[in-house]
Amino acid sequence: MDVRPKENFSQRQDTSAVRHRKTCKVNERAEIPSQPHNGTINGVNKRITKREGGEHISSPSRDAHVPVFILALVIVLSVSTRFYKITEPPHVCWDETHFGKMGSYYINRTFFFDVHPPLGKMLIGLAGYLTGYDGTFPFIKPGDKYEHHNYWGMRAFCAALGSCLPPFAFLVVLELSQSSTAALIAASLLIFDTGCITLSQYILLDPILMFFIMGSVLCMVKFNTQRLGPFSFSWWFWLLLTGLCLSGSLGVKFVGLFVILLVGINTALDLWRLLGDLSLSLVDFGKHLLARVFGLIMLPLFLYTTIFAIHFIVLNRSGPGDGFFSSAFQSRLIGNNLHNASMPEYLAYGSVITVKNLRIAGGYLHSHWHLYPEGVGAHQQQVTAYLHKDYNNLWLVKRLDNSDDLTGSPELVRHGDIIRLEHKETTRNLHSHFHEAPLTKKHLQVTGYGINGSGDVNDLWQVEVCGGRKGDPVKVLRSKVRFLHRATGCVLCSSGKTLPKWGWEQVEVTCSPYVKETPNSQWNIEDHINPKLPNISLAVLKPTFLEILWESHIVMIRGNSGLKPKDNEMNSKPWHWPINYQGLRFSGVNETEYRVYLLGNPVIWWLNLLSLALFVILLTVASLAVQRRVKMEGMMKVHCHTLMEGGGMLFLGWLLHYLPFYIMGRILYYHHYFPAMMFSSMLTGITLDILLQNLQLLFSSSLSHYLMRGGQSVLLLGFIYSFYLFHPLSYGMRGPLAHDSASSMAGLRWMESWEF
Amino acid sequence: MQCVKLPVSVTVEINVLLLAVTALALFTRLYGIHFPKAVVFDEVYYGQFLSLYMKQVFFIDESGPPFGHMILALGAYLGGFDGNFVWNRIGAEYPGNVPVWSLRLIPALAGSFCVPLAYLVVVELGYSHFSALGACALLLMENSLIVQSRFMLLESVLIFFLLLAVLSYLRFHKARNSFFKWFWLVICGVSCAFGIGVKYMGMFTYFLLLSLAAVHTWQLIGDQTLSHGKVMFQVLVRFLALVVLPVIMYLGFFYIHLTLLYRSGPHDQMMSSAFQASLEGGLARITQGQPLDVAFGSQVTLRTVSGKPVPCWLHSHKANYPIRYENGRGSSHQQQVTCYPFKDVNNWWIIKDPGRQSLVVSSPPKPVRHGDIIQLLHGMTTRYLNTHDVAAPMSPHSQEVSGYIDFNVSMPAQNLWRVDIVNRESEKEIWKTILSEVRLVHVNTSAVLKLSGASLPEWGFKQLEVVGDKIYKGYQQTGMWNVEEHRYGRSQEPKERELELKSPTHSDVNKNLTFMAKFLELQWKMLTVKNEESEHKYSSSPLEWITMDTNIAYWLHPSSNAQIHFIGNIVTWTTGNITLVVYCLLFLTYLLRRRRKVEDIPQDSWEQLVLAGVVCLGGWAVNYLPFFLMEKTLFLYHYLPALTFKILQIPIVTEHLYIHVLRSSAQQKAFGGVILAVLCSVYMSYHSLSPLTYGQPALTSDKLAELRWRESWDILLRKR
C-alpha cells in the first residue's frame, strides 16, 4: 500500500506534464545562466524562443519555417551534380573492382569474405539486381570495360544516396543554428566539393555509409528538438529512425561505430539532464531510459543481426571466402567439400589430411619450398598456417617407425599414438627443436625437416584427443586434436601473428611449452583422403546462427587488423587529409586515358580547415565570456549558445570521425576522411555565419551589414567558381597532364603532391 | 587524550611515524644492494650508456630523455667508476673497478623515499594517518617495487618524481599562504620535468596534473569575486610554472647532455655530418671539407660498412702472396690486397676511368654513378685492384684479390669493377662520400669484393683477408664499402702524387651548430629511430599485468638456485583490483544519487572522494591504458607507476568504506578484522616471495616449485 500513492502521484504528474513544464523550464534557466532569458529576448529572436521555450507551437508549424525554396534548390543542384555523366567512364574504376564484384556475389549467391559488414554490398547487389544486372561481369581489375553489362543501376543507386548528403547537411545546420544562411553555406560546401561528387558517383561503400551517418545525425538532431513532447508520435518516429540509421551505418562499415559513439554521448547527456530534473519521477526517467535502450540499442542490434541473417541465407554457395572460416561453418555452403561431406570417419595411418587450427580464422597447417631466413632459428623449411585452401596444406600421416604396412586394411590412429606428419608436397616431416620461434620468442620453432620422410627423433608427435582416453580413435572434423612434441614436450600451436615478408605474410606456427588447452593449440582434421577406407557421410555439427555471427565478426576484425601498410607502398597519413595533401586515382594515369581523380575542392577544404581554427577561437572566447559572466546582448547570447551547443556537437562529430585514425594500425586511405569532412563542412556553415553576423563587434553597424552581405555572396560565388575550375577532376579529363599548358587543369596543380 | 590534541605533540608524532616508515623503507630497499655482484637484467642496457657517460662519449638512447642516464651517471661518478666494463651479458660478474653499491644507491634511495611521499600524498588528499600508514605498509611490502628499486634501473626514480609532483600540486592547491603556494607550484613543475626527463612515461602523469590544474583554473576563472586582472595573473603564473618551466628544464637536460658528451662514439653515424663535426674526434672531423661526389680521378680510402670483426680499410702493400702456401696450394704471387684496421697511407686508392689515362680529376669533375665501370689503382704502388680464378689464401672457395703484376704467365689483368650503390635512391645516383654503401662487382667473373673474416698468417702481417665472392647473394654487410676520406687528385706525376697522398685531408673549418639545431636533430632522431620489433622472452601484454600473469627473471646465480625475479605481492595486486572496482561502484552510485539530490555523504567527503579518485584512479588509468595502443616491446615493470597509484587508492577506499558505508560498530569491528587479515596475508606473501626478491637465501628446487603460484610464472629450476 505504500507504493500505490506514489504511482498515482507519478501518473498525475505525467498527465499534467504540460502544466508543470513551464516551471521546470524556468528552473533550468536559473541553473544555466548562458541560456537566454525569456523576458530579454522574446522580441529579439523569435526562432530561438520557439526552439527553447515555445512549447505551445506544435511541430508542423515549425516545419513551415524550413525555407522550402532554398531546400528545393539544394536538392536540385545536388542531384544534378551527382548524376551528371554518371555512366562515364564505362569501365571499372578503383574499388568498384571489389564492391561491384561483391554485389555480383550476392546475385550469384556465392560466399565471400570481406572485412566490412555486409549491408553496403547487399544494397549494391540489390540495386544491380533491380536494374537488370545479371551478376556475370567479373570485375577483375580497374580499367576493365563494362560493355553490355548493366552497371549504371548500381552507380545510380550510390549517386542517389550521395545526393541526399547536401540536403541532410542543410537540415541539420538549419536545426542547430536556426539560420538558413548557415545551412546554405554548409550545403553548398558539399554540393560543390569535387571530392564528394567523385566519391558519390561510383559503386562504392562510402556514399552508402555517409548517407547513414548523415541520416543518423539528422534524426538525432530532430529527436533532440522533440524534447518537449516526449513519447509523442514524432518523438518515437525520430528515435526509431535514429536507431535505424545507426544500424545502417554500422552495417556498411565499422566506421559507423564513431557515429554511434556520437549519438551515444548525446543520449547520455540528454539522460543526465533528465535525471537531474527533479520534477520527473524515477519511473518516468526509467521510461525515458528504456525507450532509448530500445530505440538506440535493441533495435539497431536486432536490425544488424538481421542483416547478417540475410547475408548468410542469401550466400549459400561455396566461394572464395571459405577458407577463412571453420570446418563447421563451411559445411553449410553448397559446393564446399564439407557440404554433405563423405569421407572416412576415423583417422588412419597412410591417410592424406588437412589440419585446421581451431582458433577462429586459424588457418591450415601449411608448408612450402621456402626456408626460414638466416638468423631466424634453424635454416630449415618454413611451417606456417595459411587461410586459403591449397595443395600445400596436405599432410601424410605416418607411423613412428616408418614401417608402412601397405597390405591389409589400414590401422586407425588412436589417442596417445606417436606419429610423424609428412608434408605431401615437399616430403619433409613436421619438426620442432630448441630454437626460438620467429615471432613468439617464448615458443619453439616448428620446421619441415628431413627428406623423403626420413628424419630424426624430433619429428615425432603424440596425438591427443581433447577429452579422450587412451585408445580412442580420432574422429575426422569432430575431434579436437592436439599434437604434443615428444622430444621437448611442447604442443603444436598457431600464435595468430603474421610473419614478415619472408614468410609470405602467412601466420606463424610454433610449438608452445605451455600445454594449457586453448583453441590456439587445438586442431581438427578437415579433409581426409584414404582410398582404402569406406567413405561415410558425415552430418557435421551444424553451427547455430549466433556462433556463425560471432565467428564472422572475429574473422572480419582479424582481416581488418591484417590490412597492414606495405613497406614500399606510398602511405596516406591522417595529417595529409584535412590539408587535402594528396588524392586518389580513380581511373587513368596517362595522357591518353580518361582520368578521374578523387580530390576535394581545395578552396572548400582549406576554408574548412581555416574555419576549424576559427571555431576553436570563437568557442574559447564564448566560453570564457560565459564563465566570467560577461554581460551580453540578446543576439550575442543566442550565438554563444548555438556555438557551444550546435557547434560543439559538430566539432565532437568531427573529432570522433577523425582522431581515431591516428591510432589505427591498418592501412589508411584519403577517402577515410570524408565522413569527418561532412561534419567539418557543417561546422564551417555555423562558424562563418556567426562570424559574419557578429562583425559589428569590430566594425560600425552599417559597414558590418555590407560586409556580412558581401561575405555571404563572396563565399557562394567562390564555391561555384572553384567548382567550375576543378570540375574536370570529377567529371573526367583527357589530354595532357596539368604541367602542360594545353591541359584543362593547367595552372591548377597548386600542390606538388597532386597527381593530375 | 588531551596531549594528542596539542598541536606540537601531533607534529612530533607525525614526524616519528614518517621517520619510522622512511627507516623501514630504507632498510628494505638498501639492505645488501651490492648483492649480487653481477649484471642484473636491464642493468646491461643502462650500463652501456653509463659507461659512455663516464667516458663522455656521445650516444643516442631512443627509450627516453637523458636525465635518467644523468642520475645513474651521478651515482657512478660518486662511486668513482671509470666506465671500463663491457656490458654485454646479464649475469656477468662485476670486476673490482665497478662500484656496484654506489651505482645502485640512487635508485634505491629514490625507491625508499617513495614510501614517505605516499604517506604525505594520502594525508594531503584528506585521509587519516591510519590510511597513510596503510599505504606505506603496502608499498613497503610490495616485492615488485623493492626489486625494481634495488638495481640500477630507472622506474623507482620515475615513481619518486611522479609522487613528488602529485604531492606538490596538492599542497599548492590547498595552501593558503601565498609564498608556500607558489613554492609548491614551482616544485610541481620541476618534478614534472624531472619525471619526464627520466622516462617519457612521466608525460602521462604530467598530463593528468595539467588537466587537473586546468579544471581548477577554470573554476578560478568563474570566480566573480576576483577581478579580471587577478585572474589573468593567476592563469599566467600557472602557465609559467606548469608549462614553460618544464619545457625549459627539458631543454636544459639536453643542453647538459650535449655539453657533457662531446666525444664521438658508436652512434655517430645516425647523426648528420654537421652534428658529427661538432663532436670531438668524430669521423666527420677528419673528412671535413672534402668533396661529396666521388669522381674519376678521386683519391679515396674504402672502409667496410660492417664493423665486424673490426672496422678496416682496403689496403695493399709492397709484398706479394707467397708462391706456395703451407698446405701446398699455389697462388698467383701477385701483390697482396688486405683490409687494415689502422689509418695508413697505403689505404689510399685512386679511382680511374678505364677509357682514359688520366689520374687527375677533370674539370668539371666527372662523377662516378651507379653502374659505372671503374679501375682502382693503389696510390703508393700503382697496382690495379684485380681478381681472378685463383683460390684465396684462407677461403679457398672464393677468388684471390691482388694488386696486378704482369709476370707474363698468360694471366691477363682482370681489373674492371662495376660500382653498385646499394642504398641508392635512383638508378643514376652519384657515388657519395661516406653516405653511399657500395658493392664492387668484378666485371669478368661477377665476384663481389668482400671481407672474408679470416686473418692472414705471418706473411700477410696478420691483416684481414679480402676475397672475391662469386656466390654472393642478397644483402651482406661484409661486401659493402664506403668512401671515407676523399680528395680530388691534382697531380699526374707519381712523386707529387705520393706527397699529395701523404698530406692530411682535413681542413680545420669547424662548423658550430647552435644548441637548438643539435637538440632538434637529436630529439627527432630519438623519436623516429625504429628499433627492431622483436618479442623478448619475458615481454608481456598489458592485459597480463592486471592479474600478474607473467614475471621476469632478473638474475640467476651461476651455480646455485639463488635467483631474482620481478614478481609482485600478489595479495596487494588482488586487493588493488578489488578496491578499484569498489571505488567505481561507489562513485557511480553517489553520482547518480546526488543528481537526484540524495546526499548519502556530506559534500566535503564527496569532493574528497572525487579528488582522491582523480589522483589515484586517474593516475592508474593514465599510466596503464596508453600501453594498449603502444606497439613497442612491453614488460611487466612498465606497470609499476600505475601500480603505485593503485596501491594508494586501497587505503582510501578502505577508509571511506569504514567511515561512510559501515554504520554499526559491529560491522566496523568485523571490517577491522578483515583489514588486519589482509595485512597479515600481505606480509606472508611478501615474506614467502622475498627469496626471489632479494636473491638470497638460495632455495631448494622443491621450495622453488612451491613458489610457482601461477602456472604462467617462469621460475628457473636448475636441473641436477
Side-chain angles (χ1 to χ4, degrees):
Chain A
M1 286 316 287
D2 216 24
V3 185
R4 198 153 285 269
K6 258 188 193 162
E7 251 179 36
N8 281 343
F9 173 72
S10 76
Q11 271 173 7
R12 192 150 30 84
Q13 203 193 27
D14 200 29
T15 52
S16 62
V18 183
R19 194 153 47 82
H20 280 265
R21 209 170 283 135
K22 198 88 185 175
T23 53
C24 98
K25 264 288 144 211
V26 171
N27 279 346
E28 213 179 29
R29 287 246 174 69
E31 273 174 26
I32 309 162
S34 72
Q35 285 191 350
H37 270 276
N38 252 344
T40 52
I41 67 150
N42 228 340
V44 184
N45 190 321
K46 269 182 187 160
R47 282 199 199 113
I48 273 300
T49 351
K50 272 167 209 159
R51 188 155 69 95
E52 290 299 312
E55 58 270 25
H56 51 279
I57 295 171
S58 56
S59 42
S61 67
R62 288 172 42 79
D63 286 349
H65 286 275
V66 172
V68 181
F69 282 121
I70 306 182
L71 183 60
L73 181 72
V74 165
I75 292 173
V76 168
L77 278 176
S78 165
V79 169
S80 49
T81 46
R82 266 71 183 164
F83 276 85
Y84 178 64
K85 279 195 176 178
I86 183 87
T87 53
E88 290 282 313
H91 57 242
V92 177
C93 289
W94 194 53
D95 269 0
E96 284 190 339
T97 174
H98 298 301
F99 302 118
K101 195 192 299 169
M102 289 166 185
S104 310
Y105 283 138
Y106 278 102
I107 297 174
N108 300 325
R109 309 189 69 175
T110 41
F111 188 76
F112 65 93
F113 162 72
D114 185 36
V115 295
H116 305 301
L119 180 65
K121 290 150 295 187
M122 248 149 77
L123 290 176
I124 289 173
L126 182 70
Y129 181 71
L130 293 178
T131 51
Y133 168 62
D134 54 3
T136 50
F137 186 69
F139 285 100
I140 292 170
K141 61 176 196 306
D144 290 354
K145 291 267 178 292
Y146 281 116
E147 289 162 359
H148 63 278
H149 294 276
N150 261 333
Y151 65 97
W152 63 268
M154 293 187 275
R155 279 197 186 165
F157 169 71
C158 292
L161 294 187
S163 28
C164 294
L165 301 177
F168 281 7
F170 183 85
L171 292 173
V172 169
V173 175
L174 187 68
E175 203 60 68
L176 289 176
S177 69
Q178 301 298 328
S179 155
S180 46
T181 322
L184 186 62
I185 294 175
S188 45
L189 282 171
L190 296 187
I191 290 174
F192 297 117
D193 179 42
T194 47
C196 290
I197 295 175
T198 315
L199 204 60
S200 303
Q201 283 197 316
Y202 299 93
I203 309 172
L204 300 173
L205 295 186
D206 302 81
I208 311 177
L209 172 73
M210 290 196 288
F211 170 80
F212 282 118
I213 288 180
M214 287 294 282
S216 313
V217 176
L218 179 62
C219 296
M220 175 183 87
V221 169
K222 285 279 184 193
F223 175 71
N224 280 349
T225 62
Q226 302 298 322
R227 201 174 269 179
L228 303 165
F231 307 111
S232 65
F233 171 75
S234 55
W235 189 89
W236 276 111
F237 175 75
W238 290 115
L239 176 67
L240 296 183
L241 208 56
T242 313
L244 185 80
C245 288
L246 287 183
S247 65
S249 31
L250 187 61
V252 178
K253 271 191 182 186
F254 286 126
V255 173
L257 277 174
F258 302 145
V259 77
I260 292 185
L261 208 56
L262 179 67
V263 174
I265 290 172
N266 179 64
T267 312
L269 289 177
D270 194 27
L271 283 172
W272 184 245
R273 183 186 59 81
L274 287 173
L275 186 67
D277 181 357
L278 290 182
S279 64
L280 208 63
S281 75
L282 268 185
V283 178
D284 283 342
F285 177 75
K287 279 186 196 162
H288 272 285
L289 182 67
L290 283 180
R292 283 166 178 81
V293 167
F294 171 75
L296 301 176
I297 297 177
M298 308 295 285
L299 177 76
L301 217 55
F302 171 74
L303 290 175
Y304 184 71
T305 34
T306 314
I307 293 167
F308 272 87
I310 298 171
H311 174 73
F312 292 127
I313 291 167
V314 171
L315 303 182
N316 60 1
R317 298 206 186 113
S318 167
D322 293 12
F324 288 87
F325 292 86
S326 66
S327 313
F329 189 97
Q330 293 178 35
S331 67
R332 297 172 50 257
L333 301 169
I334 301 167
N336 188 292
N337 52 354
L338 297 177
H339 184 72
N340 298 330
S342 115
M343 57 179 72
E345 190 179 6
Y346 296 110
L347 183 64
Y349 289 104
S351 297
V352 174
I353 58 172
T354 60
V355 183
K356 187 161 171 91
N357 191 242
L358 274 183
R359 200 173 62 90
I360 291 173
Y364 299 94
L365 190 66
H366 179 98
S367 185
H368 41 224
W369 288 113
H370 295 281
L371 306 184
Y372 285 104
E374 274 187 65
V376 181
H379 196 51
Q380 295 174 6
Q381 182 167 305
Q382 297 172 14
V383 172
T384 64
Y386 186 48
L387 280 164
H388 295 275
K389 297 198 167 189
D390 182 279
Y391 59 89
N392 268 329
N393 299 342
L394 294 175
W395 297 82
L396 183 62
V397 185
K398 296 176 81 177
R399 245 183 267 274
L400 151 77
D401 48 4
N402 264 347
S403 66
D404 279 315
D405 187 9
L406 293 173
T407 57
S409 70
E411 198 182 315
L412 297 184
V413 178
R414 292 176 188 281
H415 179 97
D417 277 9
I418 292 166
I419 61 163
R420 288 169 197 274
L421 277 176
E422 182 186 315
H423 189 239
K424 187 115 189 314
E425 185 65 19
T426 61
T427 69
R428 303 216 192 272
N429 289 328
L430 188 70
H431 178 98
S432 183
H433 45 216
F434 282 111
H435 280 279
E436 282 180 351
L439 300 177
T440 319
K441 303 286 185 195
K442 296 176 190 179
H443 293 187
L444 305 180
Q445 185 193 26
V446 174
T447 65
Y449 180 72
I451 194 154
N452 287 328
S454 67
D456 63 10
V457 287
N458 275 333
D459 300 348
L460 301 182
W461 300 83
Q462 184 168 26
V463 177
E464 199 177 76
V465 180
C466 296
R469 271 176 297 171
K470 192 160 175 57
D472 284 354
V474 178
K475 286 182 198 154
V476 171
L477 285 170
R478 281 172 291 182
S479 291
K480 296 175 179 173
V481 187
R482 302 203 309 157
F483 298 95
L484 290 156
H485 192 236
R486 279 298 286 171
T488 61
C490 60
V491 59
L492 188 71
C493 169
S494 163
S495 68
K497 293 174 192 159
T498 310
L499 293 171
K501 213 177 275 165
W502 56 256
W504 310 99
E505 280 145 18
Q506 295 173 4
V507 180
E508 183 195 37
V509 166
T510 62
C511 196
S512 161
Y514 308 111
V515 289
K516 230 192 295 179
E517 283 190 8
T518 61
N520 284 24
S521 58
Q522 291 174 329
W523 305 77
N524 73 359
I525 315 295
E526 189 170 296
D527 294 298
H528 183 214
I529 306 158
N530 195 332
K532 289 186 200 147
L533 286 175
N535 284 349
I536 295 166
S537 178
L538 293 167
V540 184
L541 288 170
K542 287 257 193 253
T544 64
F545 173 66
L546 283 181
E547 280 168 2
I548 303 177
L549 190 68
W550 178 247
E551 184 178 342
S552 56
H553 274 84
I554 300 289
V555 175
M556 275 191 284
I557 290 166
R558 292 260 161 77
N560 247 323
S561 54
L563 292 175
K564 288 274 188 273
K566 304 236 168 31
D567 293 337
N568 46 3
E569 264 181 33
M570 171 62 199
N571 203 346
S572 184
K573 301 264 181 346
W575 64 263
H576 290 172
W577 303 340
I579 59 173
N580 212 15
Y581 178 74
Q582 195 169 37
L584 275 170
R585 280 205 191 95
F586 263 40
S587 152
V589 182
N590 301 333
E591 306 201 342
T592 52
E593 286 169 310
Y594 185 88
R595 297 189 307 276
V596 175
Y597 190 66
L598 173 73
L599 183 78
N601 181 339
V603 173
I604 288 176
W605 283 55
W606 294 340
L607 184 72
N608 275 345
L609 196 62
L610 190 75
S611 319
L612 275 173
L614 208 59
F615 170 76
V616 173
I617 295 171
L618 287 182
L619 185 72
T620 316
V621 172
S623 30
L624 270 177
V626 169
Q627 183 77 0
R628 289 298 297 169
R629 313 250 170 95
V630 176
K631 283 245 183 301
M632 278 187 281
E633 297 301 312
M635 273 302 273
M636 291 280 294
K637 262 187 182 166
V638 175
H639 287 153
C640 256
H641 184 256
T642 308
L643 208 58
M644 286 163 77
E645 300 278 312
M649 203 269 286
L650 293 175
F651 188 62
L652 181 69
W654 178 76
L655 289 178
L656 284 177
H657 282 83
Y658 180 50
L659 291 190
F661 287 103
Y662 279 97
I663 54 172
M664 272 189 207
R666 64 161 278 172
I667 186 160
L668 298 172
Y669 297 102
Y670 173 65
H671 71 275
H672 287 154
Y673 183 65
F674 278 84
M677 185 264 175
M678 305 271 128
F679 285 98
S680 161
S681 301
M682 292 191 279
L683 188 61
T684 305
I686 292 188
T687 313
L688 291 184
D689 183 49
I690 288 184
L691 184 77
L692 288 175
Q693 292 201 37
N694 285 298
L695 284 175
Q696 79 267 17
L697 286 178
L698 304 173
F699 305 103
S700 69
S701 66
S702 58
L703 180 63
S704 67
H705 183 76
Y706 284 119
L707 278 178
M708 181 176 85
R709 288 286 170 231
Q712 287 164 351
S713 342
V714 165
L715 280 180
L716 288 178
L717 289 176
F719 299 154
I720 295 172
Y721 182 65
S722 61
F723 171 68
Y724 165 73
L725 286 179
F726 285 94
H727 77 273
L729 291 178
S730 306
Y731 298 132
M733 46 201 166
R734 274 180 206 279
L737 300 173
H739 54 73
D740 192 333
S741 59
S743 161
S744 55
M745 299 303 292
L748 291 175
R749 205 173 149 208
W750 296 344
M751 282 176 89
E752 276 299 303
S753 47
W754 295 346
E755 306 142 312
F756 53 75
Chain B
M1 285 309 285
Q2 252 190 335
C3 67
V4 181
K5 281 177 189 167
L6 281 171
V8 178
S9 65
V10 170
T11 328
V12 170
E13 192 176 24
I14 294 168
N15 284 340
V16 167
L17 269 181
L18 256 183
L19 281 181
V21 164
T22 315
L24 271 176
L26 285 171
F27 177 70
T28 49
R29 267 70 174 169
L30 283 170
Y31 168 71
I33 49 169
H34 52 276
F35 175 85
K37 205 171 158 43
V39 180
V40 175
F41 199 61
D42 265 359
E43 284 188 347
V44 73
Y45 180 75
Y46 293 118
Q48 48 175 335
F49 298 126
L50 192 64
S51 284
L52 292 174
Y53 239 106
M54 289 297 102
K55 296 183 166 172
Q56 304 203 310
V57 168
F58 173 77
F59 65 87
I60 301 180
D61 175 24
E62 74 285 348
S63 72
F67 184 63
H69 300 304
M70 281 180 214
I71 289 188
L72 296 182
L74 177 68
Y77 176 74
L78 295 177
F81 179 45
D82 53 5
N84 287 329
F85 181 68
V86 185
W87 307 81
N88 57 359
R89 186 172 62 83
I90 295 173
E93 290 270 333
Y94 285 124
N97 69 331
V98 182
V100 187
W101 189 80
S102 56
L103 286 186
R104 290 176 181 165
L105 179 66
I106 292 185
L109 283 178
S112 319
F113 288 127
C114 287
V115 178
L117 275 180
Y119 184 98
L120 294 172
V121 167
V122 173
V123 171
E124 207 56 47
L125 282 170
Y127 289 85
S128 69
H129 293 278
F130 274 115
S131 297
L133 262 188
C136 290
L138 292 176
L139 285 178
L140 272 176
M141 295 185 282
E142 178 50 54
N143 303 58
S144 55
L145 286 173
I146 296 176
V147 170
Q148 203 69 6
S149 307
R150 287 170 54 84
F151 301 104
M152 195 182 72
L153 306 169
L154 287 176
E155 266 73 19
S156 58
V157 184
L158 171 70
I159 295 172
F160 171 77
F161 284 121
L162 296 186
L163 285 178
L164 185 61
V166 168
L167 176 70
S168 48
Y169 183 78
L170 291 174
R171 282 263 159 107
F172 155 74
H173 184 58
K174 290 260 174 75
R176 293 278 161 262
N177 179 325
S178 84
F179 171 74
F180 277 111
K181 205 173 164 77
W182 303 130
F183 171 74
W184 285 115
L185 183 66
V186 169
I187 293 288
C188 177
V190 168
S191 44
C192 279
F194 281 147
I196 296 169
V198 172
K199 287 208 153 199
Y200 282 125
M201 235 191 114
M203 205 82 87
F204 300 139
T205 312
Y206 174 61
F207 284 140
L208 179 76
L209 285 181
L210 264 193
S211 19
L212 193 62
V215 171
H216 286 153
T217 313
W218 190 246
Q219 286 167 357
L220 190 85
I221 291 175
D223 187 351
Q224 300 297 310
T225 58
L226 294 172
S227 70
H228 290 324
K230 270 195 175 154
V231 169
M232 284 282 280
F233 172 73
Q234 295 272 356
V235 173
L236 196 68
V237 172
R238 281 166 172 77
F239 180 77
L240 283 178
L242 294 182
V243 179
V244 178
L245 179 66
V247 169
I248 291 174
M249 286 187 61
Y250 185 77
L251 290 177
F253 300 146
F254 276 88
Y255 185 78
I256 299 172
H257 183 70
L258 288 171
T259 317
L260 285 179
L261 306 185
Y262 63 92
R263 297 198 177 119
S264 77
H267 295 170
D268 280 14
Q269 295 89 328
M270 294 163 79
M271 310 307 290
S272 71
S273 315
F275 193 101
Q276 292 188 36
S278 70
L279 298 170
E280 188 181 295
L283 172 81
R285 179 59 83 81
I286 303 163
T287 54
Q288 274 255 319
Q290 55 183 30
L292 180 66
D293 294 347
V294 176
F296 289 106
S298 282
Q299 301 177 347
V300 297
T301 61
L302 287 164
R303 182 183 187 265
T304 52
V305 169
S306 80
K308 284 171 191 165
V310 281
C312 60
W313 289 268
L314 191 69
H315 178 95
S316 186
H317 40 232
K318 271 209 180 342
N320 294 358
Y321 287 112
I323 299 179
R324 297 230 167 260
Y325 300 123
E326 287 89 339
N327 58 9
R329 275 193 299 119
S331 81
S332 67
H333 194 53
Q334 293 177 1
Q335 184 169 306
Q336 296 173 12
V337 172
T338 64
C339 200
Y340 188 53
F342 301 98
K343 296 250 171 190
D344 189 84
V345 70
N346 270 325
N347 296 346
W348 283 94
W349 298 80
I350 300 169
I351 293 172
K352 181 177 166 295
D353 185 347
R356 287 170 55 224
Q357 277 306 312
S358 163
L359 290 180
V360 297
V361 175
S362 59
S363 159
K366 185 183 167 206
V368 183
R369 292 174 189 275
H370 172 71
D372 281 357
I373 309 288
I374 59 164
Q375 287 171 320
L376 279 170
L377 185 75
H378 187 240
M380 299 304 286
T381 62
T382 60
R383 302 280 182 208
Y384 285 106
L385 185 75
N386 187 64
T387 181
H388 40 220
D389 193 12
V390 172
M394 310 311 291
S395 330
H397 48 273
S398 302
Q399 293 190 151
E400 179 190 275
V401 174
S402 63
Y404 184 71
I405 306 173
D406 193 358
F407 292 118
N408 261 331
V409 287
S410 67
M411 202 177 251
Q414 302 181 2
N415 52 20
L416 297 180
W417 299 85
R418 188 162 47 79
V419 176
D420 191 8
I421 301 177
V422 181
N423 57 347
R424 63 182 177 276
E425 272 156 12
S426 72
E427 286 307 307
K428 295 302 288 175
E429 177 128 328
I430 296 174
W431 187 357
K432 297 202 183 69
T433 314
I434 299 175
L435 303 172
S436 296
E437 296 175 359
V438 167
R439 257 192 328 222
L440 291 170
V441 185
H442 191 232
V443 172
N444 301 61
T445 59
S446 52
V448 171
L449 186 76
K450 77 164 205 181
L451 199 62
S452 72
S455 301
L456 298 171
E458 287 298 330
W459 55 258
F461 313 103
K462 297 264 167 79
Q463 294 175 5
L464 294 158
E465 185 196 35
V466 169
V467 299
D469 186 359
K470 277 201 289 192
I471 47 169
Y472 183 93
K473 264 188 299 188
Y475 180 93
Q476 291 179 28
Q477 282 217 321
T478 48
M480 301 228 275
W481 304 83
N482 65 3
V483 167
E484 188 171 292
E485 288 170 85
H486 175 214
R487 71 164 88 83
Y488 285 161
R490 300 273 170 244
S491 25
Q492 188 71 23
E493 284 302 308
K495 280 288 162 212
E496 280 176 34
R497 198 164 60 235
E498 233 168 79
L499 279 178
E500 196 179 11
L501 288 172
K502 281 176 177 162
S503 67
T505 43
H506 53 242
S507 51
D508 281 322
V509 187
N510 192 0
K511 216 173 159 192
N512 269 328
L513 279 183
T514 62
F515 163 68
M516 274 319 275
K518 283 207 258 181
F519 163 73
L520 288 176
E521 182 180 343
L522 180 58
Q523 180 73 76
W524 180 248
K525 278 274 149 48
M526 284 170 69
L527 294 177
T528 51
V529 162
K530 273 186 200 158
N531 41 354
E532 280 172 40
E533 226 181 276
S534 63
E535 198 169 333
H536 189 273
K537 183 159 187 260
Y538 288 104
S539 66
S540 50
S541 78
L543 263 187
E544 294 169 300
W545 298 348
I546 287 209
T547 47
M548 198 165 58
D549 272 342
T550 73
N551 67 321
I552 308 173
Y554 268 24
W555 173 78
L556 176 65
H557 192 276
S559 57
S560 82
N561 254 336
Q563 48 191 304
I564 294 176
H565 282 264
F566 182 87
I567 295 185
N569 189 327
I570 193 126
V571 182
T572 312
W573 289 48
T574 318
T575 320
N577 291 337
I578 296 170
T579 48
L580 202 76
V581 175
V582 170
Y583 180 88
C584 292
L585 290 178
L586 274 177
F587 178 79
L588 274 181
T589 326
Y590 288 145
L591 188 73
L592 293 179
R593 283 169 70 81
R594 286 175 66 82
R595 185 75 183 160
R596 299 297 295 180
K597 300 275 185 294
V598 185
E599 305 214 347
D600 306 276
I601 50 172
Q603 178 69 20
D604 53 343
S605 307
W606 163 247
E607 280 170 7
Q608 194 183 337
L609 190 70
V610 171
L611 186 63
V614 169
V615 170
C616 300
L617 211 76
W620 171 78
V622 295
N623 282 301
Y624 174 54
L625 300 181
F627 284 107
F628 283 96
L629 302 176
M630 284 189 199
E631 284 180 1
K632 62 174 200 168
T633 319
L634 297 175
F635 293 95
L636 185 59
Y637 62 69
H638 284 127
Y639 187 55
L640 280 183
L643 177 76
T644 312
F645 284 106
K646 193 155 95 171
I647 289 177
L648 285 188
Q649 64 72 68
I650 297 176
I652 287 171
V653 172
T654 314
E655 182 179 330
H656 184 87
L657 285 178
Y658 189 83
I659 294 177
H660 293 288
V661 178
L662 305 175
R663 295 282 155 85
S664 76
S665 69
Q667 281 175 336
Q668 287 186 343
K669 268 181 192 151
F671 192 62
V674 171
I675 293 171
L676 208 62
V678 169
L679 277 177
C680 286
S681 44
V682 167
Y683 177 73
M684 289 306 291
S685 163
Y686 160 73
H687 185 74
S688 327
L689 288 173
S690 66
L692 297 182
T693 305
Y694 294 97
Q696 49 192 359
L699 295 178
T700 63
S701 297
D702 293 341
K703 282 255 176 73
L704 276 177
E706 273 174 34
L707 277 181
R708 200 171 162 216
W709 291 343
R710 299 188 80 109
E711 205 201 340
S712 50
W713 285 1
D714 208 348
I715 289 174
L716 310 167
L717 295 179
R718 198 171 284 284
K719 281 180 187 156
R720 295 204 178 269

